[in-house]
Amino acid sequence: MKVFGNTQIFGVMGWPVEHSLSPVMHNAAFEALGIHAVYVPFPVKPEDLGKATMSLRALNVSGVNVTVPHKGAVTEFLDEIDTTAKRIGAVNTIVQKNRKLYGYNTDGPGFMLSLRKDGHFDPAGKKAVVLGSGGAAGAVAMALAEAGVRRLVIANRDKNRAEVLAKRVIKHYERETLPVALDESRALYWLIRESDILVNATSVGLAGNDRLTLNPNCLHNKLFVFDLVYRETALLKSAKRRGLKTLDGLGMLVSQGARSFEIFTGKRAPFRVMRTAAEQALKFAK
Ligand code: NAP
């Protein structure tokens, strides 16, 4: 890849950011479409998020993705936020136009596309449990509510955050929404036993060497298990051992990345190119 004086700059801000597959996916897409741009990782510590976001204007960075743990906090530094991202309370895509920063969220559409296309699962009328209450969980919860789930349970380590997210969902959708603590309690156990789909949207498993945060007996044989992390987590391993239908986060990663690419460039994303680049990078990382 050649970089010139007028090469457009894109990137991803996160902490840590080394694990991110976004640079390989987006650079492969730029190359495939002959777009004169480069996509780089920006390791941004939480205490530097404001300064880093403001400097996107000064450095004329065309756009960035935002990843763990900044998706919620970054919203306060933007000029405008689109309706979906506002509902979720989190932004994963920022575009700069005429020195203004616009925020979007492509996680929800990416999740839903992968759930339907890769998982062949239609959430309408189903009962769902979402683990987590951060930016990704917000996107997943809103997308499931919009898709017409019958009941939505939001389980988080910090129960207050689950309550805040449940209130956000209820504000926009008439769905039975229950916030609970993510612990070993019987309440969560039975709610999962009664559900059709379990989504892990916590960052447990992201760094590898994770352990299951749930009683494995709640994984009944009709449960669909979706883990947003794109490696085989302890949760996915346990679900597979029981013969359940499972899906990891790779399909969602590519789908949300493709949507971001389209927002960045206004061009149709080369989906297959992005998927192959992500798969190869994952193999290389193993
Ligand atoms: P985030 O905003 O930082 O939220 C992290 C969430 O994980 C919070 O709910 C937090 O609970 C929970 N958590 C962290 N450590 C935990 C632990 N040891 N036990 C139980 N819960 C724990 O992060 P995010 O942006 O929502 O991302 C969450 C995950 O989704 C990450 O793994 C990310 O890579 C993945 N993701 C994947 C895709 C994809 O395309 N596949 C897209 C977006 C995100 P507390 O509130 O109690 O701290």
Side-chain angles (χ1 to χ4, degrees):
M1 177 199 322
K2 285 196 176 122
V3 178
F4 301 95
N6 61 352
T7 300
Q8 267 191 295
I9 298 170
F10 294 88
V12 53
M13 302 198 299
W15 185 262
V17 80
E18 305 89 75
H19 69 277
S20 176
L21 297 179
S22 296
V24 292
M25 281 197 308
H26 285 272
N27 284 319
F30 289 143
E31 206 171 318
L33 298 194
I35 295 173
H36 210 38
V38 65
Y39 187 110
V40 292
F42 293 119
V44 175
K45 289 185 179 163
E47 61 269 30
D48 292 331
L49 181 63
K51 280 180 276 172
T53 310
M54 296 311 197
S55 65
L56 297 174
R57 278 194 207 91
L59 294 171
N60 200 25
V61 173
S62 299
V64 288
N65 287 120
V66 183
T67 188
V68 181
H70 302 317
K71 289 179 189 180
V74 81
T75 54
E76 63 182 278
F77 305 110
L78 306 180
D79 297 298
E80 278 183 39
I81 300 176
D82 93 325
T83 314
T84 307
K86 226 183 251 172
R87 278 187 183 179
I88 296 166
V91 157
N92 79 335
T93 305
I94 301 172
V95 175
Q96 186 190 176
K97 274 186 208 137
N98 304 324
R99 293 183 69 82
K100 275 192 156 187
L101 299 176
Y102 297 88
Y104 303 86
N105 194 308
T106 67
D107 281 335
F111 164 77
M112 202 46 75
L113 192 67
S114 181
L115 182 63
R116 291 201 164 114
K117 205 175 87 181
D118 307 323
H120 308 287
F121 187 96
D122 178 3
K126 304 283 188 346
K127 293 183 178 177
V129 176
V130 176
L131 308 180
S133 291
V140 167
M142 287 293 175
L144 287 171
E146 190 174 322
V149 284
R150 180 149 51 107
R151 185 176 76 191
L152 183 61
V153 174
I154 299 171
N156 197 46
R157 182 174 59 176
D158 173 352
K159 193 183 167 198
N160 291 333
R161 291 188 77 194
E163 282 165 359
V164 171
L165 177 54
K167 277 189 192 141
R168 270 181 184 278
V169 173
I170 293 165
K171 192 171 159 198
H172 299 288
Y173 300 97
E174 278 184 27
R175 306 274 178 263
E176 185 188 357
T177 307
L178 306 173
V180 297
L182 171 48
D183 55 19
E184 303 264 338
S185 70
R186 293 191 70 75
L188 178 58
Y189 176 95
W190 281 111
L191 286 166
I192 296 174
R193 294 280 307 173
E194 285 180 349
S195 293
D196 305 288
I197 177 168
L198 172 70
V199 183
N200 176 37
T202 72
S203 37
V204 175
L206 184 59
N209 302 326
D210 56 310
R211 57 171 206 92
L212 198 65
T213 46
L214 298 164
N215 179 339
N217 294 329
C218 66
L219 304 175
H220 63 87
N221 63 9
K222 291 205 176 108
L223 190 68
F224 184 100
V225 180
F226 191 153
D227 200 318
L228 265 51
V229 174
Y230 38 77
R231 61 164 55 90
E232 198 171 71
T233 57
L235 174 64
L236 286 186
K237 276 188 197 137
S238 186
K240 278 183 186 168
R241 268 200 302 272
R242 289 170 156 73
L244 311 194
K245 269 185 84 178
T246 62
L247 192 59
D248 68 31
L250 186 65
M252 171 176 169
L253 176 84
V254 180
S255 298
Q256 63 77 30
R259 183 71 199 107
S260 292
F261 182 89
E262 288 169 358
I263 293 172
F264 287 152
T265 63
K267 294 186 192 319
R268 198 188 168 107
F271 193 90
R272 287 232 175 87
V273 168
M274 294 177 84
R275 173 134 197 155
T276 305
E279 281 170 352
Q280 280 174 353
L282 263 185
K283 259 189 222 155
F284 188 69
K286 275 177 189 163

